[in-house]
Amino acid sequence: MTEAESFTPSCLLVSGGAGFIGSNFIRWVLEEHPDLSVVNLDLLTYAGNLESLEDVDVRHGPAGDGRYYFVHGDIRDFETIARLLRGEASETVPQAQEARTPPPIDAIIHMAAESHVDRSIMGPAIFVDTNVKGTLTLLEACTAELDRRPRPFRFLHVGTDEVYGSLDLDDPAFTETTRLAPNSPYSASKAGADLLVRAYVETFELPAITTRCSNNYGPYQFPEKLIPLMITRALRDEPLPLYGDGLNVRDWLHVEDHAKGLWTVLAHGRVGEIYNIGGECELQNIEIVRSILRLLEKPESLIRYVDDRRGHDRRYAMDITKMRSELSWQPAHTLDKGLAETVEWYLSHQTWWERVLNEAYLATRALYLTEG
Ligand SMILES: NC(=O)c1ccc[n+]([C@@H]2O[C@H](COP(=O)([O-])OP(=O)(O)OC[C@H]3O[C@@H](n4cnc5c(N)ncnc54)[C@H](O)[C@@H]3O)[C@@H](O)[C@H]2O)c1
């Protein structure tokens, strides 16, 4: 077992920072760590939205304290990443007279991904391209840069509990040593990325760590995922499509707890290790949907059972003993309070989610939104 060493980055690259977890993480980390600069590298796919970071840009962008940079780019583009790592790439600010150049990067939190299971069933190729090839390109660029200029560095790969496959109701929760058994193209591509990270630690001694997290919820989540999908549809009195018998079990974690967990692992985790992050909060999908309907005072008659997702994993559950005992991290939010706050957020941010639904989503809407 390697010793835990504290690590304090000064300039952190967040890939996929305009997505759900990325935008929440960047907001949180810039508030909590006043000496830190953050570069958000994002391709702005349908899931990336700079509106989710408008307040961050005001407080920490060029007109604020100057610690937040945005670079519009692709994790599959080696040159862009190499230049960012060296501190030679300019940020993307179309209106500015002069674009700023972020300082050299000394840590990466890699979150950029195609992240929706249903989309991976409809079109797996982009999942392999982004999640596997994109991760490989980042790993290659980091290895090359650290060969060129060795320095203290961390690469944190943000993974998912879905790589472990599915549990029966009486199985023990996943631990970090549970064998990988991904069932969807999404989870298979994430498992591929996890294994590449492992290989780069073993073969190239890249100082990398992997986390695997359960289902996140909270503000700014794209309304194709269960909780915001149900909230936004219920608000418009539209039917709520629920897969199969609605009894699939997921573990839920508030996105801010995930953000704190990621920072804890980056700052104090051991290189080469895997850390499970979860909420110890297992619920059936139907229970989540009923809670949302209660909070919105909408009738359960809105629920429509639809044909089950192909290969639908029955249950996920996370054993977070390692995060608790080694890094003293544990979830702080309760689902009751966190879900009520999330519903409130969607109620008060109607413009945000209506625009997201109208613009990006309609072009590529998921199959399960058609009634069946
Ligand atoms: N949401 C969850 O519940 C959850 C749980 C566990 C792990 N994760 C993992 O956390 C990470 C973030 O998840 P999320 O829910 O915030 O995803 P998201 O879909 O909301 O955001 C993904 C972001 O990545 C960007 N992106 C996609 N392809 C890119 C590319 N080629 N180059 C640069 N940027 C690109 C998108 O524009 C978007 O901003 C993912 O790696 C996901 O697998 C998510």
Side-chain angles (χ1 to χ4, degrees):
M1 189 157 122
T2 51
E3 277 299 300
E5 253 179 66
S6 280
F7 178 79
T8 311
S10 57
C11 188
L12 172 65
L13 174 75
V14 177
S15 75
F20 163 50
I21 298 172
S23 58
N24 279 285
F25 175 81
I26 290 175
R27 178 174 296 101
W28 177 84
V29 84
L30 283 168
E31 286 303 307
E32 292 289 316
H33 298 279
D35 296 328
L36 181 74
S37 295
V38 171
V39 181
N40 173 11
L41 172 68
D42 199 296
L43 187 59
L44 299 180
T45 68
Y46 81 94
N49 186 353
L50 288 181
E51 278 183 41
S52 307
L53 286 159
E54 270 172 358
D55 59 320
V56 170
D57 195 47
V58 168
R59 269 201 297 277
H60 305 296
D65 64 20
R67 295 187 292 127
Y68 169 68
Y69 301 81
F70 173 68
V71 175
H72 186 201
D74 192 329
I75 54 165
R76 293 163 296 178
D77 175 1
F78 181 91
E79 269 315 307
T80 297
I81 301 157
R83 276 188 285 119
L84 274 168
L85 288 167
R86 291 197 297 266
E88 291 170 8
S90 294
E91 69 171 339
T92 312
V93 192
Q95 315 87 331
Q97 302 283 324
E98 216 179 297
R100 301 174 305 158
T101 301
I105 305 295
D106 54 8
I108 293 183
I109 295 200
H110 170 38
M111 311 196 191
E114 287 293 333
S115 69
H116 190 42
V117 175
D118 290 296
R119 287 176 190 264
S120 81
I121 295 167
M122 290 185 280
I126 184 69
F127 282 73
V128 175
D129 218 40
T130 302
N131 300 355
V132 182
K133 195 168 162 220
T135 302
L136 176 64
T137 310
L138 280 170
L139 293 168
E140 283 182 312
C142 290
T143 312
E145 169 63 11
L146 293 178
D147 278 350
R148 192 187 73 91
R149 193 166 77 80
R151 58 185 187 266
F153 195 88
R154 286 290 182 280
F155 183 98
L156 196 166
H157 170 58
V158 180
T160 167
D161 60 355
E162 302 193 25
V163 296
Y164 296 123
S166 184
L167 293 170
D168 287 333
L169 289 185
D170 52 358
D171 283 338
F174 301 128
T175 71
E176 288 82 356
T177 55
T178 301
R179 93 188 157 96
L180 300 187
N183 291 319
S184 71
Y186 163 66
S187 53
S189 69
K190 292 293 288 185
D194 285 16
L195 294 177
L196 281 169
V197 173
R198 177 192 156 84
Y200 269 70
V201 173
E202 296 297 323
T203 305
F204 302 105
E205 294 174 11
L206 184 73
I209 309 176
T210 293
T211 56
R212 294 183 181 139
C213 188
S214 56
N215 278 29
N216 284 214
Y217 69 95
Y220 298 105
Q221 187 168 27
F222 195 84
E224 65 186 352
K225 306 281 167 60
L226 183 76
I227 288 180
L229 175 76
M230 297 302 170
I231 297 172
T232 54
R233 288 183 72 89
L235 278 173
R236 290 172 298 169
D237 296 308
E238 289 174 358
L240 308 186
L242 195 55
Y243 278 138
D245 58 9
L247 302 182
N248 298 63
V249 174
R250 297 292 179 264
D251 173 59
W252 292 96
L253 180 74
H254 194 277
V255 66
E256 197 175 294
D257 283 328
H258 191 189
K260 289 181 190 170
L262 291 173
W263 179 264
T264 304
V265 172
L266 182 74
H268 305 292
R270 286 177 294 134
V271 163
E273 293 290 316
I274 292 162
Y275 293 90
N276 278 357
I277 301 180
E280 292 182 326
C281 176
E282 284 183 59
L283 282 173
Q284 294 169 338
N285 289 346
I286 182 72
E287 295 177 288
I288 289 275
V289 173
R290 286 199 180 118
S291 299
I292 290 169
L293 288 170
R294 263 196 308 277
L295 286 163
L296 290 173
E297 298 178 358
K298 297 283 184 180
E300 289 196 10
S301 56
L302 284 177
I303 297 173
R304 296 278 189 289
Y305 289 93
V306 297
D307 288 346
D308 208 356
R309 169 190 277 166
R310 299 172 81 174
H312 202 179
D313 288 337
R314 194 61 171 168
R315 172 176 167 244
Y316 304 136
M318 290 293 253
D319 182 328
I320 58 167
T321 307
K322 188 169 172 180
M323 282 294 286
R324 268 187 205 284
S325 59
E326 202 179 291
L327 300 179
S328 304
W329 173 92
Q330 61 183 9
H333 288 73
T334 62
L335 186 90
D336 276 355
K337 191 157 172 285
L339 189 61
E341 286 167 3
T342 303
V343 166
E344 274 305 315
W345 188 88
Y346 280 87
L347 277 167
S348 59
H349 288 75
Q350 192 148 351
T351 320
W352 181 90
W353 59 261
E354 277 184 343
R355 186 143 46 227
V356 169
L357 282 173
N358 289 339
E359 286 172 12
Y361 196 27
L362 288 181
T364 47
R365 64 194 285 166
L367 284 179
Y368 61 86
L369 282 185
T370 58
E371 276 192 64

